[in-house]
Amino acid sequence: MPAGMTIQQPVTTMARARFFRLGAAAILLSAVAVALTASAPPGRQPPSRRLSAGAATSNITPPLGELIVGNWTPVPATHVHDELHARCLVLDDGETRVAIVVADNVGIPRRVLDEAKRLTQKQTGIPVDRILIASTHTHSATTARGSEREDATEPLDRYQTFLAGRIADGIRRAINNLEPARIGWGRGSLPEQVFNRRWFMKPGPHLNNPFGGADKVRMNPPVASPDLLKPAGPTDPAIAFLSVQSDAGRPIALLANYSLHYVGGVPNGHVSADYFGVFARKIAQLVDGGADDDRDRRARPFVAMLSNGTSGDVNNIDVRGGQKRLPDYARMELVANQVTAEVFRVMQSIEYHDSVPLKMVQRELALETRRPTPKLIEWARGILARPEGVTSEFPRERIYAERTLRMADMPARVEVPLQALRIGDLAVVTIPFEVFAEMGLELKARSPFQRTFVMSLANGAYGYLPTAAQHELGGYETWLGTNQVEIEAATKIVTTLLQMLRDLR
Ligand SMILES: [Zn+2]
């Protein structure tokens, strides 16, 4: 335990009231704090100073005509159902300043986010490794990947440039809004809306993979299929959140985290932030109802954001059957209502702290990319040499033949950014992949912090990240091309993140 720990203890609202009444005691206590700081050995953390926070939202809606890429075939956007946003929160403990951004996109590649961070550092001085930017994984946003085959030497395209600039502007505006603040966190649970989407099934053609073989599990099997056996993995029902208020109790921001891929139910061609956007709207109505008649609230609007946890294998479809078919957009409203209600319920009993230590570390982890074998390359060439439209008992052969050849051209390794952020006794870790639920559960169980949550698709987007055990089972997420990095990647990432969390203690 570091020296001065008692002084670092967060001050509750009640304790703070008493603090002000007992002015003399306060002066005495600060004297003790100063004495403890002075006597603290080098390298020890001094008592935290006053927290400040600011938040802002940038509109990142693309022009119509840009390509929506959540599904197998990209379609041009023909309508905006609801605007897309980059929602930004800046926290500062007097010593460390960090920015957290949650952006409505299916997965923003690293080089776009690096450009947003470069601009931010240039304009505001926040170092690039104190900036966390995650995608929500809405499947109804337009692509931020640039040309289908991303080439790092090509300049950013129009939407990528716009997106990077808007994110940097959002962080800068959040900094403009900084004010003394207090922060609290909590955790609710909503098991009813998360389903593991990978299923063990009785043998049959439904287990065929594109490569001419059979898997042990199948992603998104047909609803109520008689061949269903059991799900291939767990779900994580937790809804973690942190809530930030001004000294006067005006809500500044709320960052929640739930491990659900997305909800969907969006017509073709529609741009929508999915249930992530609905949550932001609904929780604002509950938390910040009087916003319109209050000048402070108009000047610094409340910003709510819902980040994606570990949901690479988790969706909102109960394949055992029984879910009602709902009109477009109705299911996302339903799920968002339940997430909102659960967060709001737990919010009523959380404790706020006006000084918490903030600490953030970032590491680059080198991972080998998966290489197709010569035999697989030969298979891919054979498939692509066939005339188009040939039917086959193996699904999506052509797509995976193309992806196989593309994987052969990938660099032999990629460096992926990992981050760990400490906010008092709460820890947040980030992974730039679509992460399986069991990884999130493992990180939470083994973290040295009382509370930990995982933001996925953060600081980059490198595809699916199955665990080594899930690779054994096969299925869509493990297919070469859907998954791009070595089989041991998940294990290496967990090990590295746990080390980083220990470094934050
Ligand atoms: Zn997805």
Side-chain angles (χ1 to χ4, degrees):
M1 190 179 279
M5 196 59 182
T6 48
I7 305 298
Q8 280 184 50
Q9 288 293 341
V11 184
T12 64
T13 314
M14 250 173 61
R16 204 176 49 242
R18 221 175 320 129
F19 206 69
F20 288 128
R21 263 181 268 127
L22 302 172
I27 291 163
L28 186 69
L29 268 173
S30 11
V32 174
V34 169
L36 276 172
T37 320
S39 65
R44 293 277 173 91
Q45 220 189 347
S48 325
R49 284 176 264 170
R50 192 68 175 78
L51 178 77
S52 50
T57 298
S58 265
N59 187 314
I60 56 168
T61 308
L64 294 181
E66 296 266 325
L67 291 179
I68 297 173
V69 285
N71 302 302
W72 286 107
T73 330
V75 292
T78 52
H79 181 63
V80 176
H81 174 270
D82 51 276
E83 304 282 328
L84 306 183
H85 294 97
R87 303 168 194 276
C88 312
L89 169 64
V90 170
L91 297 172
D92 190 321
D93 70 352
E95 203 170 280
T96 302
R97 180 172 287 187
V98 301
I100 302 172
V101 180
V102 176
D104 293 319
N105 193 277
V106 75
I108 306 173
R110 177 168 190 175
R111 65 195 201 103
V112 178
L113 300 178
D114 280 352
E115 173 60 8
K117 292 175 187 184
R118 188 191 66 79
L119 288 170
T120 302
Q121 177 165 356
K122 193 172 141 209
Q123 292 159 352
T124 72
I126 300 188
V128 291
D129 58 1
R130 297 289 176 276
I131 304 170
L132 183 178
I133 311 172
S135 301
T136 56
H137 202 57
T138 170
H139 274 223
S140 40
T142 63
T143 184
R145 287 181 213 148
S147 61
E148 186 48 35
R149 189 167 178 183
E150 176 113 20
D151 177 354
T153 58
E154 291 240 319
L156 297 184
D157 75 10
R158 203 170 52 151
Y159 185 64
Q160 291 176 316
T161 307
F162 168 77
L163 186 56
R166 290 303 287 158
I167 291 171
D169 282 359
I171 298 173
R172 201 166 151 190
R173 287 168 52 211
I175 293 170
N176 294 342
N177 287 343
L178 279 170
E179 61 183 312
R182 54 197 198 194
I183 190 165
W185 46 88
R187 184 179 56 197
S189 176
L190 185 60
E192 297 85 352
Q193 297 299 347
V194 279
F195 301 91
N196 195 291
R197 69 181 197 181
R198 286 161 54 84
W199 278 73
F200 286 103
M201 298 186 78
K202 294 175 193 162
H206 44 259
L207 288 173
N208 284 356
N209 62 40
F211 310 101
D215 292 325
K216 295 195 179 87
V217 304
R218 152 116 195 224
M219 172 196 72
N220 290 346
V223 173
S225 159
D227 298 317
L228 292 173
L229 292 172
K230 59 171 187 180
T235 58
D236 179 356
I239 310 175
F241 67 91
L242 60 89
S243 164
V244 190
Q245 297 185 336
S246 73
D247 269 351
R250 190 186 82 254
I252 294 175
L254 186 132
L255 164 64
N257 179 268
Y258 187 44
S259 294
L260 171 59
H261 212 83
Y262 73 110
V263 175
V266 174
N268 233 9
H270 278 212
V271 168
S272 167
D274 204 281
Y275 93 113
F276 308 96
V278 185
F279 168 82
R281 175 165 55 83
K282 301 233 174 214
I283 194 84
Q285 284 161 1
L286 285 182
V287 169
D288 195 30
D292 224 37
D293 2 293
D294 181 325
R295 254 178 62 206
D296 272 356
R297 288 181 174 192
R298 276 205 307 276
R300 290 168 169 161
F302 170 67
V303 176
M305 48 190 123
L306 176 57
S307 59
N308 206 318
T310 48
S311 67
D313 54 347
V314 176
N315 69 10
N316 191 238
I317 301 164
D318 187 352
V319 295
R320 291 161 305 182
Q323 277 177 324
K324 254 198 260 162
R325 249 199 106 75
L326 296 173
D328 291 341
Y329 295 108
R331 179 159 295 282
M332 68 172 72
E333 290 278 330
L334 182 151
V335 176
N337 269 338
Q338 291 184 16
V339 176
T340 305
E342 179 62 0
V343 169
F344 194 64
R345 182 186 71 78
V346 180
M347 263 183 95
Q348 306 315 308
S349 55
I350 65 172
E351 195 183 324
Y352 285 88
H353 315 280
D354 54 18
S355 78
V356 290
L358 284 180
K359 230 172 145 185
M360 186 162 175
V361 287
Q362 176 169 325
R363 268 197 220 167
E364 302 285 334
L365 179 66
L367 295 172
E368 277 169 35
T369 52
R370 270 175 77 181
R371 321 297 294 173
T373 58
K375 209 176 135 205
L376 205 56
I377 291 174
E378 199 185 310
W379 162 85
R381 293 206 175 113
I383 294 292
L384 293 173
R386 287 196 324 215
E388 272 194 64
V390 174
T391 49
S392 159
E393 55 181 310
F394 300 99
R396 306 187 198 288
E397 280 173 329
R398 287 192 76 86
I399 294 176
Y400 278 88
E402 279 163 15
R403 288 184 183 182
T404 296
L405 295 185
R406 211 178 296 163
M407 288 300 295
D409 288 346
M410 285 259 296
R413 51 182 56 215
V414 282
E415 298 246 313
V416 301
L418 302 175
Q419 292 176 332
L421 166 63
R422 172 188 182 174
I423 305 169
D425 285 331
L426 173 75
V428 182
V429 293
T430 72
I431 305 177
F433 288 89
E434 294 185 55
V435 183
F436 276 35
E438 59 204 72
M439 250 178 100
L441 293 169
E442 184 182 354
L443 280 163
K444 288 175 181 183
R446 295 176 62 193
S447 167
F449 284 84
Q450 198 188 16
R451 288 286 163 81
T452 301
F453 67 83
V454 183
M455 286 167 72
S456 61
L457 286 169
N459 307 305
Y462 297 89
Y464 279 90
L465 184 67
T467 57
Q470 292 287 339
H471 268 291
E472 287 280 309
L473 304 177
Y476 164 76
E477 299 87 348
T478 71
W479 294 344
L480 178 73
T482 310
N483 167 260
Q484 304 182 348
V485 290
E486 55 180 304
I487 309 294
E488 289 305 317
T491 315
K492 290 184 178 177
I493 288 173
V494 168
T495 307
T496 309
L497 285 172
L498 288 172
Q499 276 166 6
M500 290 165 69
L501 285 171
R502 283 192 288 272
D503 291 347
L504 290 179
R505 290 285 340 176

